[in-house]
Amino acid sequence: MNFLQAIQPDRVPAHVAVIMDGNGRWAQKRGLERAQGHIEGVNSVRRITEAACRIGVKYLTLYAFSTENWNRPKAEVNALMGLLVSCLHKEMPLFMKNGIRLRIIGDMESFSPEVRQAMNEALQHTQGNTRMDLVLALGYSSRWELTEAFRKMAGKVKEGRLQIQDIDAEKIAEFLATSFMPDPDLLIRTGGERRVSNFLLWQIAYAEMYFSPVFWPDFTEEMFYESIVEYQSRERRFGNVPTKPAEA
């Protein structure tokens, strides 16, 4: 089956979020250093970014580096930081060719000045692109994000610029790092695990979930398209009753 041809253009999810899991295990399975898995994972980022652009996804959010990842071995973290800086420079032609605007959510202050400079240069260089937003979650976790949001709201209340009775779900969303985009329609996780790992916990309340057993470096465009076809086969009810009667 050609999954690209099976996609319904008018039902493409506006926002797809991806937990890119399995780089390290992919490398270890082949007797390689874990860092090699991350290098191969970059190729998948390139493939899936172009695939998402091709079908009209407006926001693609990739869980690239969590707050918990700082606890990994120092050599692996250093390799990841070097790879990040390299990729932000190397992939710029891809961003510009495809009209991709780069966004970053997470604690940028936790990164070194060199990494922050590369981030800011990429953000500035792509800010005029409008075809798709590629959102990298770096130094991110939902607990970090919610803690920051609550601190900001508490500050507004203390200053008298926000009334407690005005705090509702919509107001909380305004203080989140993702306030510039809609909530994910589809969450994909590769690598065989079935958990969300502290990623967009507020935002995925009604997202469809798709779990792939394939390690991220082996995740292809066709597999991505298959996840979109699967998404389109589901009925999103947002807590309501089904519109179609259940089959006997």
Side-chain angles (χ1 to χ4, degrees):
M1 179 179 182
N2 186 314
F3 289 105
L4 176 58
Q5 293 181 356
I7 292 174
Q8 303 171 50
D10 60 337
R11 296 189 59 216
V12 171
H15 184 181
V16 178
V18 184
I19 299 175
M20 306 179 294
D21 192 23
N23 289 341
R25 285 177 289 156
W26 180 93
Q28 290 174 330
K29 187 176 180 180
R30 289 160 175 78
L32 303 172
E33 295 292 330
R34 288 177 59 88
Q36 187 61 41
H38 298 304
I39 292 172
E40 291 297 326
V42 171
N43 295 326
S44 289
V45 169
R46 187 182 304 114
R47 288 196 301 266
I48 302 311
T49 297
E50 290 190 299
C53 258
R54 189 173 298 121
I55 63 173
V57 172
K58 297 302 294 181
Y59 299 90
L60 177 66
T61 301
L62 305 180
Y63 203 8
F65 191 85
S66 74
T67 54
E68 291 83 1
N69 287 159
W70 289 115
N71 297 320
R72 291 187 175 186
K74 186 176 180 180
E76 182 176 351
V77 171
N78 289 340
L80 282 168
M81 293 302 102
L83 184 61
L84 173 59
V85 172
S86 174
C87 289
L88 289 175
H89 292 301
K90 185 178 179 181
E91 301 302 328
M92 193 56 60
L94 170 73
F95 300 152
M96 303 310 294
K97 172 187 173 183
N98 291 282
I100 296 170
R101 178 175 183 175
L102 184 68
R103 304 265 201 167
I104 294 174
I105 57 173
D107 184 10
M108 290 181 63
E109 294 302 314
S110 64
F111 293 90
S112 70
E114 179 189 10
V115 174
R116 290 202 306 271
Q117 180 179 347
M119 290 178 180
N120 287 322
E121 288 175 354
L123 293 172
Q124 184 176 5
H125 199 67
T126 63
Q127 63 182 351
N129 294 340
T130 59
R131 184 177 178 188
M132 185 181 82
D133 280 16
L134 174 62
V135 185
L136 300 181
L138 294 165
Y140 173 90
S141 74
S142 284
R143 290 185 174 182
W144 166 85
E145 178 184 34
L146 291 169
T147 299
E148 289 297 302
F150 297 153
R151 283 174 176 168
K152 291 175 183 177
M153 282 191 292
K156 296 290 185 183
V157 170
K158 184 177 180 179
E159 296 167 359
R161 300 170 62 185
L162 177 64
Q163 300 302 311
I164 292 177
Q165 60 269 24
D166 293 332
I167 299 176
D168 56 15
E170 290 185 3
K171 181 60 65 176
I172 291 172
E174 292 177 11
F175 284 85
L176 298 179
T178 57
S179 60
F180 60 90
M181 61 180 172
D183 290 342
D185 301 295
L186 172 64
L187 173 68
I188 299 170
R189 179 169 187 148
T190 63
E193 303 291 353
R194 293 176 177 266
R195 53 177 178 264
V196 294
S197 297
N198 207 357
F199 183 49
L200 301 177
L201 298 182
W202 177 278
Q203 297 87 342
I204 62 172
Y206 292 105
E208 296 296 321
M209 307 285 187
Y210 183 88
F211 298 100
S212 170
V214 176
F215 293 148
W216 177 247
D218 290 331
F219 196 69
T220 66
E221 297 97 322
E222 192 68 6
M223 293 173 185
F224 176 74
Y225 297 143
E226 182 179 5
S227 74
I228 302 299
V229 172
E230 167 67 21
Y231 163 84
Q232 292 183 339
S233 73
R234 302 179 188 178
E235 180 185 9
R236 303 187 71 198
R237 299 197 295 271
F238 301 98
N240 293 322
V241 297
T243 58
K244 299 178 183 178
E247 295 182 2

